[in-house]
């Protein structure tokens, strides 16, 4: 899908085709759509294709007067009855007359611009537009990290009540999401540092402060991801130890019960042999043997109880 936008009278409007000062947004474009944009804007196809590779790492490339800024953005993907957090490449291509963004999926980062939630947004101000996208990306990481923290707290409370595999799998998914976030944030940090130290994009005095804010928010997201990841990893290790300990307690109890039940079984087996045994000619022999078995069983039970095996 291709959408064309341009700021007219301080308001974002959708236009019919590419023009000077326009913003072209491509969501999971087809091969024909890519060729159409290449013909209309003169952009290199390789720059558009770079953002359509899920395994592509964040970077900055410059070819002639075309600059590609590739960053990882956070996304939420449905999985069965729940959802998982992941990252997706977003390509920002700066041309002489316009800006192109390319992504494999719809994202709330660009939708904020569509819906006018970004103050001071103007498609003609290309540098500021890029920095605003990067700032929104860092803010979105922080928002999703807080959601992951709340989700892990809820799963932890559920684990206190019921130690089931389902809750542990949910914890594992959250930890996996934190790994994705941490890796992508560190890769984005390299891109931001490169923007700060080089002149790949033309910066104006008003943009310096915004770029510094983006770097600060990104660093904060990296620290939060590391903290939440350590907490989640420690929590999973603790609950794994609890589950293992509970299993040991159950096995110890079953072993003690087996020992107790083996005592009357052993006595009954001895008196049931086809040989001469005590009390075989006595009327109350059965009662005597039964009492003896019960007393011996009680002694064994008391010994196991004193040793805290019951």
């Amino acid at each position: 899908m291709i959408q064309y936008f341009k700021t007219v009278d301080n308001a974002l409007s959708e236009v019919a085709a590419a023009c000077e000062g326009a913003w072209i947004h491509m969501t999971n474009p087809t091969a024909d759509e890519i060729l159409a944009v290449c013909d209309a804007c003169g952009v290199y196809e390789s720059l558009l294709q770079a953002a359509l590779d899920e395994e592509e790492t964040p970077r900055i490339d410059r070819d002639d007067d075309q600059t590609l800024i590739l960053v990882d953005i956070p996304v939420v993907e449905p999985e069965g009855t729940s959802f998982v957090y992941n990252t997706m490449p977003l390509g920002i291509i700066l041309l002489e007359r316009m800006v192109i963004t390319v992504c494999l999926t719809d994202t709330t980062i660009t939708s904020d611009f569509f819906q006018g939630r970004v103050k001071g947004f103007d498609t003609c101000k290309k540098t500021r537009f890029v920095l605003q996208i990067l700032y929104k990306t860092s803010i979105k990481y922080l928002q999703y990290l807080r959601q992951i923290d709340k989700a892990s707290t809820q799963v932890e409370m559920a684990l206190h009540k019921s130690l089931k595999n389902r809750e542990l799998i949910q914890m594992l998914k959250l930890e996996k999401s934190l790994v994705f976030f941490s890796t992508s944030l560190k890769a984005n940090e390299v891109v931001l540092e490169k923007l700060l130290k080089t002149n790949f994009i033309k910066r104006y005095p008003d943009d310096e402060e915004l770029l510094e804010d983006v770097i600060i928010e990104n660093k904060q997201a990296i620290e939060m991801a590391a903290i939440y990841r350590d907490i989640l990893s420690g929590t999973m290790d603790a609950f794994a130890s609890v589950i293992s300990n509970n299993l040991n307690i159950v096995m110890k109890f079953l072993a003690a019960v087996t020992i107790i039940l083996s005592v009357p079984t052993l006595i009954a087996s001895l008196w049931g042999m086809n040989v001469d045994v005590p009390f075989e000619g006595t009327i109350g022999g059965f009662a005597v043997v039964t009492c003896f078995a019960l007393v011996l069983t009680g002694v064994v039970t008391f010994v196991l109880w004193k040793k805290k095996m019951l």
Side-chain angles (χ1 to χ4, degrees):
M1 183 177 67
I2 306 176
Q3 296 172 286
Y4 302 91
F5 299 94
K6 185 177 181 179
T7 301
V8 180
D9 296 331
N10 296 325
L12 186 67
S13 302
E14 191 166 359
V15 294
C19 58
E20 185 172 355
W23 166 31
I24 305 172
H25 180 61
M26 306 174 68
T27 304
N28 194 18
T30 62
D32 292 338
E33 290 174 337
I34 292 176
L35 290 176
V37 171
C38 291
D39 293 338
C41 305
V43 62
Y44 297 128
E45 183 178 352
S46 59
L47 299 182
L48 297 177
Q49 293 288 357
L52 301 179
D53 184 2
E54 294 185 6
E55 304 300 326
E56 196 72 35
T57 57
R59 69 178 192 276
I60 300 178
D61 281 340
R62 187 178 182 86
D63 197 348
D64 296 334
D65 58 345
Q66 302 181 9
T67 303
L68 169 66
I69 301 175
L70 196 65
V71 294
D72 281 341
I73 60 173
V75 294
V76 180
E77 298 177 343
E79 186 176 273
T81 57
S82 61
F83 54 87
V84 294
Y85 296 89
N86 204 345
T87 58
M88 191 74 64
L90 171 65
I92 309 170
I93 303 172
L94 296 178
L95 304 179
E96 186 178 354
R97 299 170 54 246
M98 62 194 71
V99 178
I100 303 174
T101 55
V102 189
C103 190
L104 280 170
T105 183
D106 290 324
T107 170
T108 56
I109 294 174
T110 52
S111 64
D112 286 344
F113 291 90
F114 301 156
Q115 299 169 8
R117 297 176 182 173
V118 182
K119 294 182 180 179
F121 169 56
D122 192 327
T123 57
C124 296
K125 299 179 180 179
K126 297 184 294 181
T127 300
R128 191 165 189 82
F129 179 27
V130 171
L131 295 179
Q132 286 172 330
I133 291 179
L134 297 177
Y135 184 77
K136 277 292 180 181
T137 299
S138 299
I139 294 299
K140 189 62 65 175
Y141 271 113
L142 291 172
Q143 178 184 342
Y144 285 165
L145 283 170
R146 294 188 186 97
Q147 292 179 7
I148 291 175
D149 183 47
K150 291 181 181 179
S152 63
T153 302
Q154 293 175 355
V155 175
E156 182 179 347
M157 293 175 63
L159 277 171
H160 280 294
K161 300 177 182 178
S162 174
L163 295 175
K164 294 182 179 179
N165 291 337
R166 183 179 62 185
E167 284 78 12
L168 290 175
I169 292 174
Q170 290 178 350
M171 295 282 276
L172 183 61
K173 288 181 180 179
L174 292 175
E175 186 177 23
K176 184 179 178 181
S177 299
L178 288 174
V179 172
F180 288 149
F181 276 18
S182 180
T183 303
S184 296
L185 283 166
K186 291 178 181 178
N188 287 351
E189 184 181 28
V190 175
V191 174
L192 295 175
E193 294 292 342
K194 198 169 183 179
L195 283 176
L196 182 64
K197 296 176 182 179
T198 61
N199 294 320
F200 277 105
I201 60 174
K202 187 177 181 180
R203 297 201 306 270
Y204 299 90
D206 294 340
D207 299 329
E208 295 291 343
E209 184 177 353
L210 181 56
L211 179 56
E212 292 177 0
D213 291 341
V214 174
I215 294 175
I216 291 173
E217 295 296 332
N218 192 78
K219 288 183 180 294
Q220 183 180 353
I222 292 174
E223 293 175 359
M224 286 181 61
I227 292 172
Y228 291 158
R229 184 180 175 184
D230 291 341
I231 293 174
L232 197 58
S233 179
T235 302
M236 289 188 64
D237 291 342
F239 278 109
S241 299
V242 169
I243 293 174
S244 178
N245 185 59
N246 289 345
L247 180 61
N248 291 335
I249 292 174
V250 172
M251 295 303 296
K252 182 175 69 173
F253 175 78
L254 292 177
V257 171
T258 302
I259 293 173
I260 292 172
L261 293 178
S262 66
V263 174
T265 303
L266 176 63
I267 295 175
S269 299
L270 292 174
W271 256 266
M273 292 182 180
N274 192 22
V275 294
D276 294 337
V277 293
F279 311 114
E280 62 176 329
T282 306
I283 297 178
F286 176 77
V288 172
V289 173
T290 302
C291 291
F292 176 70
L294 291 177
V295 170
L296 189 58
T297 302
V299 171
V300 173
T301 303
F302 177 77
V303 171
L304 294 176
W305 177 75
K306 289 292 289 183
K307 291 183 176 293
K308 297 182 180 180
M309 293 187 66
L310 288 174

